[in-house]
Amino acid sequence: MTPRYAVYFAPRLGEALQLIGNAWLGRDAASGGLLPQPRIPDLSPDLLHALTVAPRHYGLHATLKPPFRLVPRLQEADLRDALAKFAATRSAIQIDRMELSVIGKFLALVPTDAARETQDLAAQCVRHFDRFRATPLAEETTQRLSTCLTPRQQVLVAEWGYPYVLDEYRFHITLTEGIADNVLRRKLGDALAELFATVLAGPIRIADLCLFAQVDRSEPFRIIDRYPLKA
């Protein structure tokens, strides 16, 4: 088994985004425990479960450094040490407002402001921690390139192992699978707007860098540590 790691933003314990987001996905990435999902009128629990499979697997988060395997010469302790030092020199970011958005065909929370700050933090994470990233397996690269990518995104896969980084990056918190049915997507959007009303009404703060880990590709990601950013 070869673990993978990722550097994500995740809300702190007890924050509205953490409580509502975990309940929506049906899982707490910190404890690993499964949670009952909210009841949506005229939507079966099984369908809601199916429409949240991928975001539940990764846990409630916004990506900063996409998942990677460690290079053989380095260990998890090295990554933890580097993350602690990096976080201590970067400032927390306040996002004054979040909104629901459709990205491709999935629903996500995105900031209405602070785009430059989140873009810069993510770019710094991608570059700074790339020395820990092992070269992707050939099949991983093939799988990435088999999707509909632009020429620029293909270059980013070759350089950084992932197409949506640097100038192709957008801070977002994924809440659903891709939903091709426009009517169903609008229905879920209405439900999310109601459930996340408290979150959408106020600011959220990127106060930590979270280290997520996955024992192997079949297992869900877990939060294994938090590294506070400067206040």
Side-chain angles (χ1 to χ4, degrees):
M1 295 186 293
T2 303
R4 290 198 304 166
Y5 298 90
V7 181
Y8 290 158
F9 158 73
R12 288 181 170 178
L13 181 67
E15 293 181 345
L17 177 56
Q18 186 260 346
L19 296 171
I20 298 168
N22 284 354
W24 171 259
L25 296 182
R27 179 174 170 264
D28 181 349
S31 69
L34 298 179
L35 303 169
Q37 292 181 278
R39 292 292 183 137
I40 308 300
D42 302 319
L43 189 75
S44 73
D46 287 345
L47 180 55
L48 179 58
H49 190 269
L51 291 173
T52 50
V53 169
R56 181 168 49 255
H57 181 77
Y58 285 89
L60 186 76
H61 78 281
T63 300
L64 296 170
K65 173 69 174 175
F68 59 93
R69 290 174 293 104
L70 285 176
V71 295
R73 69 178 182 279
L74 295 174
Q75 299 179 350
E76 182 182 301
D78 300 312
L79 178 58
R80 286 174 177 267
D81 183 62
L83 257 170
K85 291 175 180 176
F86 178 88
T89 62
R90 268 69 181 182
S91 297
I93 298 170
Q94 176 163 302
I95 298 172
D96 290 332
R97 291 290 298 275
M98 298 287 283
E99 64 182 1
L100 278 168
S101 181
V102 178
I103 301 178
K105 293 183 178 180
F106 64 86
L107 290 159
L109 295 173
V110 300
T112 60
D113 61 352
R116 177 62 182 272
E117 292 92 336
T118 55
Q119 190 91 10
D120 287 349
L121 179 61
Q124 291 169 20
C125 287
V126 165
R127 292 188 172 105
H128 188 83
F129 297 105
D130 208 56
R131 66 187 178 92
F132 290 92
R133 180 177 64 90
T135 302
L137 301 175
E139 55 265 33
E140 292 173 332
T141 301
T142 299
Q143 183 180 16
R144 288 281 182 211
L145 295 175
S146 67
T147 57
C148 296
L149 301 179
T150 66
R152 173 58 177 159
Q153 289 165 352
Q154 293 175 19
V155 169
L156 292 170
V157 170
E159 291 182 350
W160 305 100
Y162 196 72
Y164 307 113
V165 295
L166 305 182
D167 50 299
E168 291 288 327
Y169 175 79
R170 183 181 183 187
F171 182 94
H172 65 278
I173 299 172
T174 302
L175 298 175
T176 71
E177 299 279 342
I179 303 171
D181 186 319
N182 292 333
V183 174
L184 178 58
R185 192 167 60 243
R186 284 195 296 270
K187 181 182 182 66
L188 280 213
D190 291 342
L192 283 165
E194 182 176 348
L195 285 167
F196 282 81
T198 303
V199 174
L200 299 175
I204 68 166
R205 187 170 176 81
I206 303 175
D208 308 302
L209 298 181
C210 294
L211 182 60
F212 278 58
Q214 177 190 46
V215 176
D216 61 47
R217 296 296 286 263
S218 66
E219 294 293 322
F221 275 87
R222 293 276 304 271
I223 300 173
I224 61 172
D225 215 340
R226 287 179 174 271
Y227 301 87
L229 296 163
K230 289 193 300 181

